[in-house]
Amino acid sequence: MVSFIFYLSIILYATSIETVISSTDGSTNTMIRGVPKAGQMYLMLQDEFKCRSTTQIIPISRINDDYCDCSDGSDEPGTSACRQSTFYCPNEGYKGQYVFSSVVNDGICDCCDGSDEWAKPGTCPNTCAVLGAELKKHREEEELNTKLGMEEKNKYIEQAAKSIAEKRDELTANRDEVTSLQASVSSLEEQKKEVEQREQTRRDELSAIKAEADKKAAEEAALLGQNKQQTEEENLQKLLEQEVDGIFPAEDVAAAEPGPSTEHDDDDDEHSSFESVEDSGEAEEEEQEDAQNAEENNALSGQQESTPTPPEPTDALLDSILAEKNKYNEALAQARRELSDMENHIRKTEELLATDFGKNNEFFPLHGQCFDLTAREYTYTVCPFDNAKQAHTSLGKFEKWEPAYTTMVFSNGQQCWGGPKRSIKVNFICGAKNEMISVEEPSKCEYTAKMKTPCVCHDDHSTLLHHENESHLRENYF
C-alpha cells in the first residue's frame, strides 16, 4: 500500500511540474520524444541517465541531442542519430508502437499520429482515430468470440465429464462381460473335448468292426482260391481225357488194327485214310480246347466278380457325434470372436481414458474428429490425438502437448527427400468453433498450423483484449 501511494505521488508530481530539457530545435519541451509516458515520468525525476545496456552515465540534458553518447543508442530515442535505437509512437486513440529511430524525420509516416515526423508538423495526417475504430470493432468481435467460445468450452467440459464417467462405467461392465465370455469359452472347450473323446471311442469301435470284416473277407478269399485251384485241376484232367479221346477214338483204333491183306495197294489206301482221320481229329481237338478254355475263363471271371468286398462302415451314431462336434466348433468360434472383440474394445477404452485431454478434459470432444484446410495446392488434415496429413502424405502421429495445452506436436511422418521426417505443430487460439485457419512450412518438411477452438478460451482473455497493456511495447528506461 505504501509503495502504491509513493508511485501515485510520483505520477501526480510528474504531471504537475514542467521539466525543461533541451531539444535540437533550440526550444524547450516538457516531454522526451520517443519515450513512453511511464518512462518520461521516471526520467523527469533524474539528473543523470544510465545507458540501458552499458555502464555509461550521462547528464539527463544529453538525451535527444542528436548525438550518440551511449554505445547502445538508448540516449537518442527521439532522433535518427543512432540507428540501433527505437522511437515510441504514442498513437493516441489507437495503440502505441515502436519504430527504429533511423526512420525519424525521414519524410515517411511510420506512426499513425505522425509523431515520427516531428521536425515538419502537419506532414503526416493523424489516422489513429480511424485505426482505433477498426481496432475497437475487432476487439469487440474478439470479445464476443471469446464469450461464445467460453460458453462452448464449458459445454465441452460438461460433455467430457459425462462421457468419461460413462466410459468408466462401460469399462467396468465390459470387464465383467470378459470374465463371463472367458467362462463360456472354457465351458465350450470342455464340452467339445468330451464330444471329441466320444468321437474317438466310436471311431475305435468302427475300426475294430472293419478289421473283423476285413479278416473275414480275407478268409473267404482264401477259401475261394482253394476252390478255384481244385476246379482248375479237375478241368485240366477232363481236358486231357478229352484230348486223348479226340485223337484215338475207339472205332478208329479198331479199324486201324492190322489184319490179313492181300494186296499192297490196299495197305497204302488204309495208311492214307488213317492220316486223314488223324488230321481231322487234331483240328477238332483244338476247337474244343479253345471253347473249353473260354468257358473256364468266363466262369473264373464270374467267380471273381461275385467275391464280396467289405463295404466302408457307415454309422448313424458317428454322424450324430460329428454333427454335435460341428455345433460346438461354431459356438466356440463365435465365443472366441466375441471375447477378442471385447478385449480390443477394453484396450481402446483404457487408452482413451489414459489420454491427456487438457486440464479439465476440455479437448475430449475433439477426439475422433478431423479438420481440413486447403492451402496452396494441398489439403491438410489434422485429427487431434491421432494423426496429421498433407493430402495422402503423413505429417506424423500425435506425440505430445507443448506446455499449457496450446500446441499439439505430431512427429515421425513420412521421410522427406533429403530432409527430416515430416512433422507439424498445431497452435490453438481461442475461437467460437473448431476450424483450421492457416498452415505454413517455416523449414523444410516441418510445418506449423493455426487452429481456432473453444478449448483454449479463458475468462480473462476478454479482459486482456479490453485493457490491452502497452508493457509489451515499452523499452525499459528504469
Side-chain angles (χ1 to χ4, degrees), residues 15 40 56-57 74 163 181 216 227 232 274-275 281 311 321 332 349 421 425 435 448 474:
T15 56
Q40 292 183 38
Q56 293 174 273
I57 297 177
S74 56
S163 297
L181 286 171
K216 184 176 180 180
N227 294 337
E232 290 176 349
F274 179 79
E275 288 179 350
I321 293 173
L332 186 57
T349 303
K421 287 186 176 181
K425 288 186 176 183
E435 59 177 337
T448 60
R474 184 178 305 144

Side-chain angles (χ1 to χ4, degrees), residues 13-303:
Y13 175 72
T15 56
S16 63
I17 65 172
E18 290 186 356
T19 303
V20 179
I21 300 179
S22 300
S23 62
T24 56
D25 59 1
S27 63
T28 60
N29 205 336
T30 58
M31 62 170 289
I32 302 175
R33 288 191 179 92
V35 179
K37 288 182 179 180
Q40 292 183 38
M41 294 175 186
Y42 172 77
L43 292 174
M44 285 188 294
L45 298 178
Q46 308 299 315
D47 294 326
E48 295 178 333
F49 176 78
K50 181 181 179 301
C51 300
R52 191 164 58 248
S53 60
T54 68
T55 59
Q56 293 174 273
I57 297 177
I58 61 174
I60 197 73
S61 60
R62 291 187 184 179
I63 294 178
N64 286 337
D65 64 353
D66 205 23
Y67 181 82
C68 292
D69 297 287
C70 298
S71 58
D72 60 7
S74 56
D75 63 310
E76 295 298 318
T79 72
S80 59
C82 307
R83 290 185 174 274
Q84 68 272 37
S85 186
T86 53
F87 178 88
Y88 180 75
C89 309
N91 293 340
E92 294 291 339
Y94 183 49
K95 60 180 180 180
Q97 71 177 113
Y98 276 101
V99 297
F100 286 108
S101 295
S102 58
V103 303
V104 172
N105 293 325
D106 64 351
I108 299 174
C109 303
D110 298 287
C111 305
C112 68
D113 61 359
S115 58
D116 60 310
E117 299 299 317
W118 54 265
K120 295 181 180 180
T123 301
C124 299
N126 191 326
T127 61
C128 291
V130 176
L131 294 175
E134 293 177 356
L135 178 61
K136 181 181 179 182
K137 180 181 178 181
H138 173 72
R139 284 175 175 171
E140 288 174 349
E141 290 175 352
E142 286 294 313
E143 288 177 8
L144 177 60
N145 206 36
T146 300
K147 179 182 178 181
L148 295 175
M150 273 304 304
E151 292 175 355
E152 195 68 16
K153 179 181 179 180
N154 290 332
K155 292 179 182 178
Y156 282 6
I157 294 173
E158 292 177 4
Q159 177 185 344
K162 181 180 179 181
S163 297
I164 289 174
E166 290 175 351
K167 288 291 182 182
R168 286 174 177 157
D169 292 341
E170 177 185 321
L171 183 60
T172 301
N174 289 341
R175 285 170 175 164
D176 292 340
E177 188 171 351
V178 162
T179 302
S180 176
L181 286 171
Q182 288 173 337
S184 178
V185 168
S186 297
S187 176
L188 287 170
E189 287 175 340
E190 288 296 324
Q191 294 177 67
K192 178 188 172 185
K193 184 178 179 181
E194 186 273 331
V195 172
E196 288 174 339
Q197 289 174 347
R198 286 194 283 121
E199 176 193 0
Q200 187 60 47
T201 299
R202 187 56 184 167
R203 288 189 183 278
D204 291 343
E205 292 173 352
L206 293 176
S207 295
I209 294 173
K210 185 177 183 301
E212 183 64 28
D214 290 344
K215 180 181 177 182
K216 184 176 180 180
E219 292 174 351
E220 291 177 352
L223 180 59
L224 183 61
Q226 291 177 359
N227 294 337
K228 176 183 176 183
Q229 183 178 2
Q230 183 178 356
T231 302
E232 290 176 349
E233 291 175 353
E234 292 175 353
N235 290 337
L236 181 60
Q237 182 64 32
K238 291 179 181 179
L239 182 61
L240 291 175
E241 292 175 355
Q242 290 173 358
E243 288 179 350
V244 172
D245 292 341
I247 297 173
F248 303 105
E251 59 272 16
D252 291 344
V253 172
E257 288 180 355
S261 178
T262 57
E263 294 182 2
H264 179 71
D265 292 337
D266 293 337
D267 292 338
D268 291 339
D269 292 338
E270 290 174 359
H271 180 70
S272 297
S273 177
F274 179 79
E275 288 179 350
S276 176
V277 170
E278 184 179 5
D279 291 340
S280 175
E282 288 179 355
E284 184 179 355
E285 176 188 351
E286 289 177 358
E287 291 177 0
Q288 292 177 352
E289 182 180 353
D290 291 340
Q292 189 172 0
N293 289 337
E295 291 177 359
E296 291 175 354
N297 289 335
N298 290 335
L300 291 174
S301 176
Q303 290 175 352

